[in-house]
Amino acid sequence: MERKVILAENAGFCFGANRGYKAVEDSINDDIPIYTFGPILNNTKIVEGFAQKGVKVVNNIEEFKNLKKGKIIIRSHGVSKEKYEAILATGFEVFDATCPFVKRIHKIVEKQSLLGDRIVVIGNPVHPEVEGIVGWSCNGATVIENASEASEFVAKENENITIVSQTTFNRKKFEELVDIFAKNSYNINVMNTICDATAIRQAEAEQLSQDCDVMIVIGDKLSSNSRKLYEICSSKCSRTYFVETVDDLKGILGNSVESIGITAGASTPKYIIEEVQNYVRNDF
Ligand code: F3S
């Protein structure tokens, strides 16, 4: 019996995460110290692996004062304008791996706030991407995460409001929240800045899990997008496994499994996906 193993087309790193990962990987052999401003990805194994190769995570700009000059890599979430300028002012070499889709939001927020608009960001207020976005407005911003916050929002008279979204926000929820603003007849300029990488990965995983005997979701246990993939897949396929590495799979598949689908969260590196793929092809 030939076992069918299907890897989802968009499993693992999105474009922006891949850019950040590559920036660190390509810098490891530089002969200067490498720093990432915050963990480069939401994956402990990757961060630890880079740490063993000398890459240091710095969480506070003040720390750079006591560090040897080197290269600072800004991760895909981006940073506020104040932090961005402070990073440039360190005099260290800087590689800005802010995802271009996030950069676009920074530009919108800066431009519209300079024109006098009030900025509303739909997203999670404590997510680093949202903190960064807020920090590009020259007059602050209101972060709205749910319907009750949207209903409680009060605009000033004749105020123009520019609404943007965190890139990974759920599209349907975004539309529902925007509707609340529209119903209140506020003067809104809606910029849908949601990135479809997550939605595409989820839709693919959902389809694949319906077509396979076993579904494997690879991701860090702390990664919320990986957990979400697991929830979606397990609602369609009762034999869905959430694994961090190939080791979590050993001895659990059995030889009657004919088809296996594989997907992976946004911060799962390719080599882990490949290890799982090779293992399930040969494990009977
Ligand atoms: Fe960029 Fe979209 Fe990924 S905004 S970091 S490509 S989820």
Side-chain angles (χ1 to χ4, degrees):
M1 175 196 69
E2 173 96 14
R3 179 180 275 176
K4 220 162 75 181
V5 176
I6 310 165
L7 174 67
E9 217 174 291
N10 289 279
F13 285 172
C14 60
F15 159 76
N18 192 42
R19 227 173 129 246
Y21 179 84
K22 287 267 308 149
V24 179
E25 203 182 33
D26 294 347
S27 304
I28 280 170
N29 294 327
D30 290 2
D31 47 10
I32 52 171
I34 304 300
Y35 308 105
T36 63
F37 190 64
I40 191 74
L41 289 165
N42 236 344
N43 182 312
T44 339
K45 288 209 170 55
I46 293 180
V47 175
E48 281 170 9
F50 280 146
Q52 275 161 17
K53 292 176 179 159
V55 178
K56 185 173 164 51
V57 178
V58 175
N59 293 303
N60 189 324
I61 290 167
E62 291 297 301
E63 281 180 53
F64 289 116
K65 284 189 188 143
N66 305 316
L67 291 170
K68 199 167 159 228
K69 274 223 159 70
K71 188 198 271 185
I72 305 173
I73 298 172
I74 301 176
R75 58 190 177 167
S76 59
H77 295 319
V79 290
S80 66
K81 188 173 183 183
E82 193 188 354
K83 284 191 178 143
Y84 185 70
E85 285 172 351
I87 288 171
L88 292 184
T90 56
F92 287 41
E93 193 183 318
V94 177
F95 185 97
D96 183 5
T98 305
C99 177
F101 301 131
V102 176
K103 209 75 186 164
R104 176 176 164 249
I105 309 177
H106 293 173
K107 291 204 177 109
I108 294 171
V109 165
E110 184 174 37
K111 181 169 167 231
Q112 295 307 122
S113 65
L114 282 168
L115 290 172
D117 284 11
R118 176 145 171 208
I119 304 294
V120 169
V121 184
I122 306 257
N124 171 358
V126 294
H127 191 285
E129 180 196 317
V130 173
E131 289 171 354
I133 292 170
V134 168
W136 284 84
S137 167
C138 66
N139 49 19
T142 307
V143 182
I144 302 276
E145 197 181 15
N146 53 45
S148 65
E149 286 169 6
S151 309
E152 280 159 20
F153 178 90
V154 183
K156 296 189 193 104
E157 213 178 324
N158 296 325
E159 189 173 47
N160 291 327
I161 302 165
T162 285
I163 303 179
V164 295
S165 169
Q166 180 180 348
T167 54
T168 49
F169 205 77
N170 178 284
R171 185 176 290 272
K172 198 164 156 267
K173 241 174 106 189
F174 175 76
E175 283 160 5
E176 282 166 13
L177 298 183
V178 167
D179 260 1
I180 298 177
F181 282 83
K183 282 199 184 100
N184 282 334
S185 307
Y186 291 144
N187 189 9
I188 51 172
N189 162 29
V190 182
M191 308 295 289
N192 183 341
T193 50
I194 293 174
C195 164
D196 282 328
T198 312
I200 293 172
R201 190 186 303 105
Q202 289 174 355
E204 250 184 22
E206 185 169 16
Q207 184 58 51
L208 192 55
S209 59
Q210 287 173 57
D211 302 338
C212 295
D213 299 336
V214 162
M215 187 70 197
I216 298 170
V217 178
I218 317 166
D220 191 289
K221 292 277 185 293
L222 296 175
S223 145
S224 56
N225 79 84
S226 303
R227 183 153 294 282
K228 181 81 192 161
L229 280 177
Y230 172 70
E231 283 164 19
I232 293 171
C233 294
S234 43
S235 74
K236 302 287 175 191
C237 171
S238 59
R239 284 195 69 187
T240 297
Y241 297 101
F242 189 5
V243 302
E244 286 194 345
T245 67
V246 69
D247 296 337
D248 299 335
L249 270 176
K250 302 223 161 126
I252 58 173
L253 291 176
N255 55 12
S256 61
V257 178
E258 287 180 21
S259 57
I260 299 180
I262 304 174
T263 188
S267 46
T268 306
K270 210 162 150 199
Y271 78 92
I272 293 188
I273 302 175
E274 279 168 358
E275 275 171 12
V276 168
Q277 229 181 330
N278 291 336
Y279 176 78
V280 299
R281 276 213 178 96
N282 303 315
D283 172 63
F284 283 90

